Amino acid sequence: MIRPSDPLVFVSRFFFASLLLLWYLHLVPAAGAELAELPSFEFEQPEAPALSLPGPLAEQLRSRDFVSGVSIAFDQVAVPQSGVDASSLSFTYDPRKPDGVRFSIELGETIVLPLFDWVLVPTVKFADSGACACFTRAGRLSNQPDQDRMSNIKGWVYNYHPAFHNTLLGWRLLQADALLADSEGWKLPMVNGASVFGPGERWLNPTAAQKARKDLGAIVSACQPGSQPHCQGIILCDHQQEIQFSIKDKMLKMTGEPVFYCWDVTSAGGEAVPVEAAAKKLQDKAETIRLLNPQAWDAMTKVMHYSAFFRYCKLLNPEKWAEVMTAINGVAMPVVANPTAARRHP
Amino acid sequence: MGDTSDPKGSLQPLQSQREQRQQMPRVRGMPKLPSKLPFQVPQALQRPVELSPATGRSAKSAPPSKLGWILGGGAALVAAVVITIVITSGSPDSASPSALPGSGAAPVATQTDRQAQSGSNYGLARGIEEQYRLSLFETDTAFPLSLSVAEYSRGAGAFPAKTGNDIGDATGAFSAFLREFPDEPERQRRIDMEKLPAWATNYTDPTGVAVEQAVKLMLLFRGYGIPAKFAKVTVDFEGNEVEHGCVAVTGPDGSPMLFDPGYHAGPIPHRQTSIMSDTDLVKLLTEPVKAQAQPRGKPKGKK
């Protein structure tokens, strides 16, 4: 029953509850997250299909359709370094632990993987999917009018593997792919004038990036159309890279680096063939290219390393892997809107 | 964390501050403070709250009525939704920004919001507990452990309400700090960079921003009522050897938990750190740079 003093109590609780509710609504992220900006591009978000191309990469690299429609692809399975017995390897993902220490492995001792969820969750999902293509800037749009419009303006169409779509890692892959093409590739996407960083990422060093850009001038121009040795396209991948893991100082150490796979099609309707000379030119400068945008390059390298390691985990212990996937699928990831189309600012 | 050698006394009890003040000589030319404040303290604030010994709640408050809560909550729900719709539809800039990783999904505040928050929280009272001494200095390169009033009110205005749990409070405040003090606009130096030691200039942070941001965060945490210390980082969470700094807050098990503006993460499991007293930190930040310039490239141990 409402007592005589209750109206006052009612009104005060009304306002208190209203305030609480408004505060809560203020914190809830919107379904349509704002698209971040990069200075060199004008981004759009027309509807686009997911990129879902299976491996094995070594075979796919001969396919003209594949190489002309993929920009970043990884499919290696990591192996233990010589002398490491990983047959007893166990692993777990504990969402109750703080972000950054949730995935741990047991191999004689407990090793925590230095991965925050914004990298870990999409990488685990990608490794689990069996696909090899991560990202492309030569993708397709769902609606033909959109596709025609982008073709007419010679724009880029971005497709992402579903694990990376609308994540910060999706942005980093886009940037890693654009490193050579974008003179301002060192900048990070910005929202409201502030760069968007993932946990564990450090600040930018514009000076080092600009110096790297200057050093790479000749290399970048060597990748332009008409240059020699001629190549039609470049894929960042782990082709022929042996990714080995070992334990040192309570850390999981991985070997192998992303490689530039330069390709060309010499005859109409023929297979794509590698252009080794062009690839070597780029590979020799890989460390300088990394300095153009360490955040993007390092994020891509983590995808390569850890997706290879997770593929090994899945093969070694499918039951335990299923438990990990159940936990990973329950993680709510923040939406960081990714563009699906872009053109250069005039 | 339990360092008591700090001569600046940021962690000293109030009683010892009073004793120190009594012993301090009177400064000549200093205006005498008025014996009465130029404003009236509201009666409600003057009266001590009587607590029920059993529950800790105010003894005068009536026990909560379920019906009242349901009616109040239901009506509030309708009203708040209507208000929200009106506000949202009336604002052309109402699209919420991205939920950023590590930001607690809170939207980025607009300049107007910031000004309003700063204004509403201007003053020193919020979140400061009595046993701490708060020192607010104007920008002073000679004394690097200082916040300007503008910086303090800006930071404190963005911090969420306290929960009483140091780590929970620090996590919420850290997310607010990252939103409120993003990197690009913060290139104006408070610390005299000529005096910054070479160890604080690593490859991604050639101008020592990480150290400056860590100092700022440490002071804001203290102003917020969270005991915080500066932690020098020599091996980061990925195993890279670095010269870096962040902020340590004591966790529930007594071990330090690290909040790192330079790595945009907190807590962050850096592998090798040393927690510094304020004395040592001031010494470190103000000592003349020796001939110790290191080549700026990738950090040691990095691929």
Side-chain angles (χ1 to χ4, degrees):
Chain A
M1 290 291 290
I2 298 177
R3 293 188 298 277
S5 62
D6 277 351
L8 187 60
V9 175
F10 175 84
V11 170
S12 64
R13 286 173 183 168
F14 174 89
F15 282 111
F16 178 64
S18 302
L19 283 174
L20 267 181
L21 194 70
L22 280 174
W23 174 75
Y24 173 75
L25 288 173
H26 181 66
L27 290 184
V28 171
E34 185 179 331
L35 190 60
E37 297 168 350
L38 273 174
S40 308
F41 299 93
E42 194 174 298
F43 290 119
E44 297 178 37
Q45 282 183 293
E47 197 181 332
L51 181 67
S52 192
L53 295 171
L57 182 62
E59 288 178 18
Q60 292 278 33
L61 288 174
R62 290 201 290 268
S63 157
R64 182 178 181 165
D65 288 345
F66 182 89
V67 292
S68 58
V70 170
S71 303
I72 301 176
F74 302 118
D75 83 333
Q76 293 285 336
V77 179
V79 292
Q81 209 168 47
S82 169
V84 176
D85 178 12
S87 56
S88 63
L89 175 72
S90 179
F91 44 87
T92 181
Y93 176 83
D94 187 350
R96 293 166 300 179
K97 288 186 176 172
D99 191 8
V101 294
R102 288 177 179 156
F103 200 106
S104 57
I105 61 172
E106 282 284 343
L107 192 60
E109 55 186 330
T110 303
I111 308 293
V112 176
L113 300 193
L115 289 176
F116 286 90
D117 273 0
W118 72 274
V119 176
L120 175 72
V121 172
T123 306
V124 166
K125 288 180 177 175
F126 170 64
D128 184 65
S129 72
C132 70
C134 303
F135 169 80
T136 182
R137 66 168 177 276
R140 292 178 295 113
L141 292 173
S142 300
N143 301 316
Q144 194 57 42
D146 287 334
Q147 183 78 47
D148 294 342
R149 186 171 56 82
M150 293 313 294
S151 301
N152 289 339
I153 61 171
K154 293 187 168 41
W156 290 324
V157 173
Y158 303 129
N159 288 171
Y160 306 80
H161 183 280
F164 302 119
H165 193 208
N166 284 335
T167 65
L168 182 58
L169 201 49
W171 266 114
R172 294 292 180 263
L173 293 177
L174 184 157
Q175 288 197 282
D177 174 59
L179 279 183
L180 294 173
D182 182 7
S183 60
E184 293 189 283
W186 59 274
K187 292 184 177 174
L188 296 181
M190 299 178 96
V191 171
N192 292 345
S195 297
V196 181
F197 290 95
E201 286 190 309
R202 281 170 276 184
W203 275 301
L204 306 161
N205 184 352
T207 316
Q210 282 153 6
K211 183 176 179 306
R213 168 65 54 186
K214 205 174 166 187
D215 293 347
L216 286 168
I219 294 287
V220 173
S221 58
C223 298
Q224 302 306 312
S227 60
Q228 291 297 328
H230 179 262
C231 75
Q232 277 191 28
I234 302 167
I235 298 176
L236 280 159
C237 60
D238 56 4
H239 181 52
Q240 294 181 336
Q241 286 288 293
E242 188 168 58
I243 301 170
Q244 297 183 338
F245 66 88
S246 60
I247 307 293
K248 193 181 172 193
D249 300 333
K250 288 185 79 69
M251 295 280 297
L252 182 71
K253 303 284 181 187
M254 315 272 279
T255 63
E257 292 295 319
V259 295
F260 295 90
Y261 182 86
C262 299
W263 60 270
D264 201 357
V265 178
T266 47
S267 61
E271 282 189 347
V273 292
V275 184
E276 305 282 359
K280 188 175 182 313
K281 265 189 177 180
L282 291 170
Q283 211 60 47
D284 289 346
K285 291 283 185 181
E287 185 51 45
T288 314
I289 292 171
R290 174 185 170 272
L291 289 177
L292 290 174
N293 189 326
Q295 285 82 0
W297 188 268
D298 292 350
M300 179 183 64
T301 306
K302 281 177 190 168
V303 171
M304 171 185 153
H305 281 167
Y306 286 102
S307 63
F309 179 72
F310 294 142
R311 286 185 200 101
Y312 177 83
C313 292
K314 185 180 179 182
L315 285 173
L316 184 75
N317 193 339
E319 292 82 21
K320 196 74 187 165
W321 181 256
E323 286 175 24
V324 167
M325 284 311 298
T326 305
I328 288 285
N329 287 329
V331 178
M333 290 291 289
V335 172
V336 181
N338 291 149
T340 48
R343 64 173 164 178
R344 288 294 196 95
H345 275 305
Chain B
M1 295 298 292
D3 184 2
T4 53
S5 65
D6 175 9
K8 294 297 170 191
S10 60
L11 300 179
Q12 288 179 3
L14 189 63
Q15 186 59 40
S16 69
Q17 291 179 38
R18 284 201 187 115
E19 287 167 5
Q20 284 177 4
R21 267 203 296 276
Q22 284 166 4
Q23 293 163 7
M24 283 169 66
R26 188 73 189 274
V27 179
R28 254 198 274 172
M30 189 110 167
K32 196 178 176 184
L33 288 172
S35 56
K36 280 188 174 181
L37 294 170
F39 53 85
Q40 277 198 328
V41 178
Q43 197 67 30
L45 293 180
Q46 294 178 20
R47 190 180 61 230
V49 177
E50 294 172 28
L51 298 180
S52 156
T55 63
R57 288 180 179 170
S58 169
K60 288 182 179 174
S61 64
S65 146
K66 281 184 183 173
L67 183 62
W69 272 110
I70 293 167
L71 286 173
L77 180 72
V78 173
V81 168
V82 170
I83 292 166
T84 308
I85 290 169
V86 170
I87 291 169
T88 309
S89 61
S91 164
D93 299 324
S94 58
S96 294
S98 309
L100 306 180
S103 69
V108 177
T110 63
Q111 191 58 43
T112 314
D113 291 335
R114 284 177 186 152
Q115 286 161 353
Q117 285 167 357
S118 300
S120 65
N121 289 295
Y122 187 79
L124 311 180
R126 208 172 81 111
I128 300 170
E129 295 173 0
E130 283 195 351
Q131 65 266 39
Y132 297 102
R133 179 194 293 178
L134 177 70
S135 301
L136 294 179
F137 290 80
E138 288 302 328
T139 298
D140 183 357
T141 56
F143 187 70
L145 301 194
S146 65
L147 281 178
S148 69
V149 173
E151 277 176 316
Y152 175 76
S153 62
R154 185 177 162 196
F159 284 2
K162 289 191 73 179
T163 64
N165 172 310
D166 276 354
I167 296 301
D169 287 343
T171 305
F174 180 67
S175 291
F177 180 89
L178 290 182
R179 287 195 303 275
E180 194 63 25
F181 297 100
D183 59 329
E184 281 85 2
E186 297 301 320
R187 295 290 179 188
Q188 296 164 1
R189 302 273 76 77
R190 279 187 314 107
I191 298 172
D192 186 347
M193 286 299 124
E194 292 303 313
K195 293 178 179 172
L196 202 68
W199 68 262
T201 59
N202 68 30
Y203 87 118
T204 52
D205 181 25
T207 49
V209 182
V211 172
E212 180 172 346
Q213 291 289 75
V215 168
K216 190 187 290 179
L217 178 67
M218 178 183 79
L219 298 178
L220 280 169
F221 271 3
R222 289 177 181 176
Y224 187 52
I226 301 169
K229 290 277 191 181
F230 187 89
K232 184 176 169 180
V233 182
T234 43
V235 179
D236 73 4
F237 78 108
E238 292 179 308
N240 301 313
E241 287 181 32
V242 292
E243 293 105 3
H244 178 64
C246 66
V247 178
V249 175
T250 305
D253 61 351
S255 62
M257 300 192 81
L258 305 173
F259 292 82
D260 191 339
Y263 279 67
H264 302 88
I268 183 168
H270 285 316
R271 293 182 174 262
Q272 204 171 87
T273 59
S274 56
I275 293 168
M276 300 179 74
S277 70
D278 285 3
T279 314
D280 291 341
L281 178 58
V282 170
K283 209 182 287 176
L284 188 69
L285 293 176
T286 53
E287 71 184 2
V289 178
K290 297 165 195 163
Q292 53 180 346
Q294 294 177 359
R296 285 171 187 170
K298 61 181 181 177
K300 296 163 223 166
K302 189 89 189 167
K303 305 170 293 299

